[in-house]
């Protein structure tokens, strides 16, 4: 622990955050308006606490390897693993909620490489928890748990490298510019590899543990499968977020598309959900089939009903229906177990409640990703428009500070109404228009209103029509064939500014040119 504290001090000496800027702003540089939010005030500290807490299992394992006492670290290491996974997971979820609540794009997770760099060690920590449960109960998986504890913190170091080194400058909106500390970051990763995995390899043959019994299906085997599934998801995501580095070694650096993560992690999600539902109903020893099937009768019946409801609601593809069904199975099974265990004492509810949360999370991912409806409206003052069963009427613009900060929109469903107040204002900080959505939360849906722009009547009459293009789509506009091929974010790292370009291929009369308009 002291060694890594010294490393942090070294980084501060090399690139001090307290270094005086060449030009001191009269009233301070200020904070980007998008970051002036309570969720963003707590997201980074909680996330970094999770990163830091991952060091403790690593340090305990290194100490155990050095002293050749391979089981003594488990008691304290289990508590630290729970704390690290809880704080890191909370930090990730809070960051996603901030993005949804503030940025105005309607999403919460973009599979950005830096976002993924926090997800991967969290998945490994979750796998480690399940391995530690097996080790505490059966004494098995000693080597596996040591390897997972080492990997979790090494992945934290790798996440630090991806964020702070500047290698993802062209591929992530979260990445720092090159601060001149890349060699130090690589050095500490190399030191971690030597101290941790190096010592593990040297002691590997000395580490003894009981073998897992594979003759029948037991909780021990189910937890082992959980570890495998979680690590598979971590491996796929690791490969995706590292793609700019891996491709850069053999040619031009590029990154995988968002669809890659969705495709590879969909089977992983199904596997996790199925194991969530199966594991609570099986014991540590092999059991006969009849009592086991009897235990599953209620969850399976309710899961079948859930699948029917999902199909009627519009989930018709086989994979998505399997995902919803497996998530419902995991949720229902753990709800049944939680109810039964509550009668014997609340102290045993930690596992079932956390698994209920995972089931809800998986169902929410499908619901938000496949049932959202979007529409763009041009609202004129006093002229109501209908969309998705609601009537929206733009009334006034408030005269707050800055002027025109709140847009007042009356929203009615025919029975009830409320006033939505999304924000659209000019920010002196970055000399551009900023927006914040208005979100009305209902039990099973959100009504999400995000402003795009304000036009005066004169500008409205001269305004040209707007077109939407998805990636790879071609549209013919005024005799030109225009194809949107992707984004250019190479200029977002310039000091004090940010530019995002849309790379367009424009064809007319057999001549093709590429243009990149910038925002």
């Amino acid at each position: 622990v002291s060694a890594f504290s010294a490393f942090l001090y070294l980084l501060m000496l090399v690139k001090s955050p307290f270094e005086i800027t060449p030009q001191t702003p009269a009233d301070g540089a200020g904070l980007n308006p998008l970051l002036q939010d309570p969720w963003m005030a707590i997201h980074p500290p909680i996330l970094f606490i999770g990163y830091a807490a991952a060091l403790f299992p690593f340090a305990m394992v290194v100490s155990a390897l050095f002293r050749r006492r391979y089981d003594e670290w488990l008691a304290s290491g289990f508590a630290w693993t729970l704390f690290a996974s809880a704080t890191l997971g909370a930090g990730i979820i809070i960051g996603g909620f901030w993005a949804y609540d503030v940025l105005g794009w309607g999403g919460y997770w973009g599979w950005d490489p830096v976002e993924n760099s926090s997800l991967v060690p969290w998945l490994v920590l979750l796998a480690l928890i399940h391995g530690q449960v097996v080790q505490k109960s059966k004494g098995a998986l000693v080597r596996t748990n040591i390897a997972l504890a080492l990997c979790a913190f090494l992945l934290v170091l790798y996440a630090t490298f991806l964020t702070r080194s500047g290698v993802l400058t062209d591929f992530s909106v979260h990445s720092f510019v090159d601060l001149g500390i890349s060699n130090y970051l690589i050095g500490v990763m190399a030191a971690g590899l030597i101290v941790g995995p190096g010592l593990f390899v040297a002691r590997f043959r000395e580490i003894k543990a009981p073998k897992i019994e594979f003759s029948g299906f037991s909780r021990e085997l189910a937890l082992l499968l959980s570890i495998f599934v979680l690590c598979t998801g971590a491996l796929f995501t690791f490969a995706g977020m590292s793609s700019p580095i891996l491709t850069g070694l053999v040619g031009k650096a590029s990154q995988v598309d968002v669809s890659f993560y969705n495709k590879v992690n969909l089977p992983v999600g199904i596997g996790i959900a199925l194991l969530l539902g199966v594991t609570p109903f099986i014991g540590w020893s092999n059991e006969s089939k009849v009592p086991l099937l009897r235990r599953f009768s209620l969850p399976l019946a309710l899961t079948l009903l859930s699948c029917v409801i999902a199909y009627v609601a519009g989930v018709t593809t086989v994979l998505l229906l399997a995902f919803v069904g497996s998530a419902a199975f995991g949720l229902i099974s753990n709800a049944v177990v939680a109810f039964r265990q509550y009668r014997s004492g609340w102290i045993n509810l930690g596992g079932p409640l956390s698994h209920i949360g995972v089931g809800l999370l998986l169902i929410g991912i499908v619901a938000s990703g496949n049932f959202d409806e979007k529409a763009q409206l041009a609202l004129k003052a006093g002229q109501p428009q209908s969309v998705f069963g609601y009537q929206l009427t733009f009334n006034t613009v408030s005269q707050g500070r800055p002027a025109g900060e709140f847009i007042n929109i009356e929203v009615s469903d025919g029975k009830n109404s409320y006033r939505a107040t999304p924000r659209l204002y000019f920010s002196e900080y970055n000399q551009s228009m900023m927006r914040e959505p208005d979100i009305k939360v209902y039990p099973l849906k959100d009504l999400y209103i995000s402003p795009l722009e304000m036009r005066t009547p004169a500008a409205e009459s001269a305004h040209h029509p707007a077109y939407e293009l998805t990636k790879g789509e071609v549209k013919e506009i005024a005799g030109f064939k225009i194809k949107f091929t992707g984004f250019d974010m190479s200029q977002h790292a310039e000091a004090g500014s940010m530019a995002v370009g849309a790379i367009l291929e424009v064809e007319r009369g057999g001549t093709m040119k590429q243009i990149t308009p910038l925002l």
Side-chain angles (χ1 to χ4, degrees), residues 276-278 280-281 296 299-300 303 328-338:
L276 282 178
V278 170
F281 287 98
F296 284 124
L300 287 175
T303 298
F329 177 55
L331 172 63
I332 294 166
S333 295
N334 283 277
V336 172
V337 171

Side-chain angles (χ1 to χ4, degrees), residues 74-144:
L74 183 61
S76 299
F78 185 59
W80 275 108
T81 305
L82 287 174
F83 178 75
S85 63
T87 49
L88 184 54
I92 293 171
I93 291 171
I94 290 171
F97 187 81
W98 165 81
Y100 177 75
D101 190 53
V102 173
L103 296 185
W105 62 293
Y108 56 90
W109 188 263
W111 292 113
D112 184 275
V114 172
E115 294 175 2
N116 295 337
S117 69
S118 62
L119 176 65
V120 173
W122 185 49
L123 292 175
V124 174
L125 285 169
L126 294 178
L128 176 58
I129 291 173
H130 293 79
Q132 289 171 328
V133 170
V134 174
Q135 186 175 348
K136 290 180 70 174
S137 301
K138 294 294 184 178
L141 299 183
V142 177
R143 290 173 176 171
T144 301

Side-chain angles (χ1 to χ4, degrees), residues 144-165:
T144 301
N145 290 335
I146 290 175
L148 290 173
L150 295 174
C151 285
F153 183 66
L154 291 174
L155 287 168
V156 168
L157 295 180
Y158 183 64
T160 307
F161 169 75
L162 290 180
T163 307
R164 299 293 301 275
S165 65

Side-chain angles (χ1 to χ4, degrees), residues 474-485:
V474 180
K475 282 189 176 180
E476 186 164 342
I477 302 171
F480 294 87
K481 289 184 178 180
I482 301 179
K483 180 180 180 181
F484 170 47
T485 62

Side-chain angles (χ1 to χ4, degrees), residues 374-396:
K374 299 180 181 179
Q376 286 190 13
L377 300 177
L379 295 177
K380 297 182 179 181
Q383 298 182 14
Q385 290 202 37
S386 297
V387 61
F388 306 137
Y390 293 91
Q391 183 172 278
L392 278 63
T393 306
F394 168 47
N395 292 324
T396 59

Side-chain angles (χ1 to χ4, degrees), residues 86-382:
T87 49
L88 184 54
I92 293 171
I93 291 171
I94 290 171
F97 187 81
W98 165 81
Y100 177 75
D101 190 53
V102 173
L103 296 185
W105 62 293
Y108 56 90
W109 188 263
W111 292 113
D112 184 275
V114 172
E115 294 175 2
N116 295 337
S117 69
S118 62
L119 176 65
V120 173
W122 185 49
L123 292 175
V124 174
L125 285 169
L126 294 178
L128 176 58
I129 291 173
H130 293 79
Q132 289 171 328
V133 170
V134 174
Q135 186 175 348
K136 290 180 70 174
S137 301
K138 294 294 184 178
L141 299 183
V142 177
R143 290 173 176 171
T144 301
N145 290 335
I146 290 175
L148 290 173
L150 295 174
C151 285
F153 183 66
L154 291 174
L155 287 168
V156 168
L157 295 180
Y158 183 64
T160 307
F161 169 75
L162 290 180
T163 307
R164 299 293 301 275
S165 65
V167 296
L168 297 179
T169 296
D170 296 339
F171 303 99
S172 171
V173 297
H174 299 282
S175 179
F176 285 56
V177 297
D178 188 359
L179 301 175
I181 59 175
S182 299
N183 292 336
Y184 298 95
L185 295 171
I186 294 173
V188 76
M189 284 194 295
L193 287 170
I194 294 171
V195 172
L199 194 56
F200 177 51
V201 171
R203 300 278 198 266
F204 187 81
R205 294 183 180 275
E206 300 179 13
I207 305 172
K208 306 297 181 182
K211 293 184 178 180
I212 292 181
E213 182 60 50
F214 291 102
S215 60
F217 195 65
S218 63
R219 180 170 294 188
E220 187 177 2
L221 180 58
L223 290 173
L224 180 62
L225 290 174
S226 300
I227 295 171
F228 174 78
V229 172
L230 287 167
C231 289
T232 299
L235 181 62
F236 285 147
T237 307
F238 176 87
M241 75 182 189
S242 302
S243 57
I245 297 176
L246 298 176
T247 55
L249 295 175
V250 295
K252 183 180 178 181
S254 60
Q255 64 177 338
V256 297
D257 191 73
V258 170
S259 61
F260 165 82
Y261 297 104
N262 293 328
K263 289 177 182 177
V264 300
N265 283 305
L266 181 59
V268 171
I270 293 174
I272 290 174
L274 289 175
L275 289 167
L276 282 178
V278 170
T279 307
F281 287 98
I282 56 179
W284 291 104
S285 59
N286 300 331
E287 302 181 32
S288 61
K289 295 181 180 180
V290 176
L292 192 59
L293 291 175
R294 190 177 301 155
R295 293 181 189 180
F296 284 124
S297 58
L298 178 60
L300 287 175
L302 293 175
T303 298
L304 181 60
L305 178 61
S306 301
C307 290
V308 172
I309 295 173
Y311 184 82
V312 172
V315 182
T316 55
T317 60
V318 175
L319 275 178
L320 280 181
L321 197 60
F323 189 96
V324 172
S326 57
F329 177 55
L331 172 63
I332 294 166
S333 295
N334 283 277
V336 172
V337 171
F339 177 76
R340 292 173 179 173
Q341 291 185 355
Y342 174 74
R343 294 182 295 180
S344 60
W346 60 270
I347 195 69
N348 298 317
L349 291 178
L353 286 179
S354 63
H355 292 157
I356 288 172
V358 175
L360 288 171
L361 175 67
L362 295 176
I363 292 174
I365 289 172
V366 173
S368 64
N370 294 274
F371 291 97
D372 62 327
E373 296 180 288
K374 299 180 181 179
Q376 286 190 13
L377 300 177
L379 295 177
K380 297 182 179 181

